Structure formats: structure tokens, C-alpha cells
């Protein structure tokens, strides 16, 4: 999957996403579980929205992502916000920062882009190795319900002034997976014409109990599982599941 062109429309498409809700939950859980230190690793940091917000809150943030194009935007964004954030190009399934952190986050369903069970388990093990004793690991994923009842065989569209898209989702071959076919139409400021390009994305999730087992296998102690960026237990219609765990 290439993010070469997608990276430059990503922030436009995500402008209504409640990023501050993730930050609110993170700060809250850091205090609730008495996590010491303020060195945060933002895995799959994308264009740096979480990284910049955390840095502005006083955290010492490091960002890592698989996409060089996303990272180039993140670096420019950090500079524009006058915050210093080192960004590195790495795959989360082989995460090796050469240092340890007080907390590690994988937000905005980035973990769902991993294609196999092995990749998720490998990521959890790498995160455990990069995390200090007593450190916090938080991530969120799409629920099984969202994959099967909202994404599968659905079409979404938006006609924006500068960026429009048609987004078709289909059931994937693996259980709880979807394939996204996206067509973008981006207006050229000079010609006022629209340039079309396409992206294919794949996402896969698992039942809550499966994620819990893999976390425990990696050595984590699970503190909470909450839904939809709120402090509430997941139910059969929850769309986003957040896991809060600690390396004890």
C-alpha cells in the first residue's frame, strides 16, 4: 500500500476527527495509573497530529511511521507549531528505537492496517521491549461490529470544494477484514481542474478477547478496555475499542 499521494490529502479528509479526545484519554490514563515520566513514542504517527498535540502539552515525543510521505508532512507540521519532535521511518512490526519510553501509543486504528496475526503479535512484543518498566501502552482498533456492519459492502462519498472522494468498502478474504477502494478528486489551484487518483487500503481486526490474549502473551497487564473514546465498557454496537495496558 502506497501513501505517496494519500499523505497530501489525509489531513483534509481527517479535519473533523476528534483528535483531542484521544489526547484527553491518554493524559487521563497517565494520571490514573500513576505513570512516571513524559517520554512518549507515537507509533504510526502519520502526519503528526497526535505528536504535535502531545508536544504542545509538554511531553517529549518521538514519532515513527512507515510512510516517508507522511513523515515529511509531520516534520513540517512540527516546525510550523514550533515544537521539536524527532521522526523516524520504521515499520511497527520491527520497531527498534534503541531507547526506551515511558509510554507508547498507536492511535486512530493504525494497528488495523497490519495484515496478519503474526504482525500484531510482533508489534506487541516490540512495544513491550521499547517500554520502560511501569510504562503505559495504549492503542485503539475498529471493532468487529464496525468491520462487519458499517464498513463491509458500504459506500461513502464527500464532495468537498478542494478534495472529493468516493470510498467503497468490501469484505476481505480474512475474518473481520475489509478492503477499501478510494477514488480522490483533488482540485489544482492553477488550472481549477480536478486530478483523480486511486488508493487501495486493507484493514483487519479481531475480537477483544484475542487482542487481550496477545497483550498478555507479550507481557502486558491489561488495565482497561473502553469504547468509542469514552470511559465506558464496550457493547455489541461499539465501533472503536481502546486498550489500556501497563508493563509491570
Amino acid at each position: 500500500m502506497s501513501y505517496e499521494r494519500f499523505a497530501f490529502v489525509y489531513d483534509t479528509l481527517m479535519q473533523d476527527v476528534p483528535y483531542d479526545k484521544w489526547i484527553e484519554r491518554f493524559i487521563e490514563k497517565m494520571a490514573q495509573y500513576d505513570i512516571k515520566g513524559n517520554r512518549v513514542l507515537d507509533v504510526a504517527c502519520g502526519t503528526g497530529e497526535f505528536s504535535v498535540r502531545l508536544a504542545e502539552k509538554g511531553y517529549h515525543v518521538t514519532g515513527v511511521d512507515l510512510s516517508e510521505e507522511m513523515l515529511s508532512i509531520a516534520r513540517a507540521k512540527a516546525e510550523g507549531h514550533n515544537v521539536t519532535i524527532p521522526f523516524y521511518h520504521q515499520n511497527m512490526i520491527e520497531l527498534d528505537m534503541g531507547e526506551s519510553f515511558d509510554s507508547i501509543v498507536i492511535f486512530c486504528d493504525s494497528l488495523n492496517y497490519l495484515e496478519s496475526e503474526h504482525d500484531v503479535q510482533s508489534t506487541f512484543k516490540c512495544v513491550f521491549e521499547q517500554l520502560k518498566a511501569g510504562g503505559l501502552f495504549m492503542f485503539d482498533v475498529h471493532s468487529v461490529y464496525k468491520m462487519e456492519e458499517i464498513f463491509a459492502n458500504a459506500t461513502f462519498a464527500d464532495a468537498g470544494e478542494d478534495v472529493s472522494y468516493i470510498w467503497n468498502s468490501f469484505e476481505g478474504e480474512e475474518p473481520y477484514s475489509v478492503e477499501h477502494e478510494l477514488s480522490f478528486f483533488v482540485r489544482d489551484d492553477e488550472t481549477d481542474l480536478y486530478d483523480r487518483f486511486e488508493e487501495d487500503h486493507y484493514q483487519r481486526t479481531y475480537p477483544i478477547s484475542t487482542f487481550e490474549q496477545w497483550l498478555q502473551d507479550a507481557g502486558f497487564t491489561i488495565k482497561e478496555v473502553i469504547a468509542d473514546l469514552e470511559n465506558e465498557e464496550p457493547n455489541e454496537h461499539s465501533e472503536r475499542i481502546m486498550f489500556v495496558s501497563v508493563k509491570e
Side-chain angles (χ1 to χ4, degrees), residues 9 158 160-166 183-187 194-197:
V9 299
D158 183 75
E161 183 176 343
D162 295 316
V163 179
S164 300
Y165 66 83
I166 301 172
S183 296
F184 293 96
F185 305 86
V186 182
R187 187 171 68 88
Y194 285 81
D195 180 30
R196 175 178 175 170
F197 70 94

Side-chain angles (χ1 to χ4, degrees), residues 195-234:
D195 180 30
R196 175 178 175 170
F197 70 94
E198 297 182 347
E199 292 270 342
D200 292 327
H201 291 204
Y202 173 87
Q203 287 189 303
R204 184 179 182 185
T205 200
Y206 305 89
I208 291 173
S209 59
T210 300
F211 283 114
E212 289 178 324
Q213 185 61 61
W214 291 342
L215 281 168
Q216 292 168 347
D217 290 345
F220 290 102
T221 298
I222 301 167
K223 294 296 187 180
E224 284 184 85
V225 180
I226 57 179
D228 298 326
L229 302 178
E230 302 293 345
N231 282 314
E232 55 187 38
E233 294 184 2

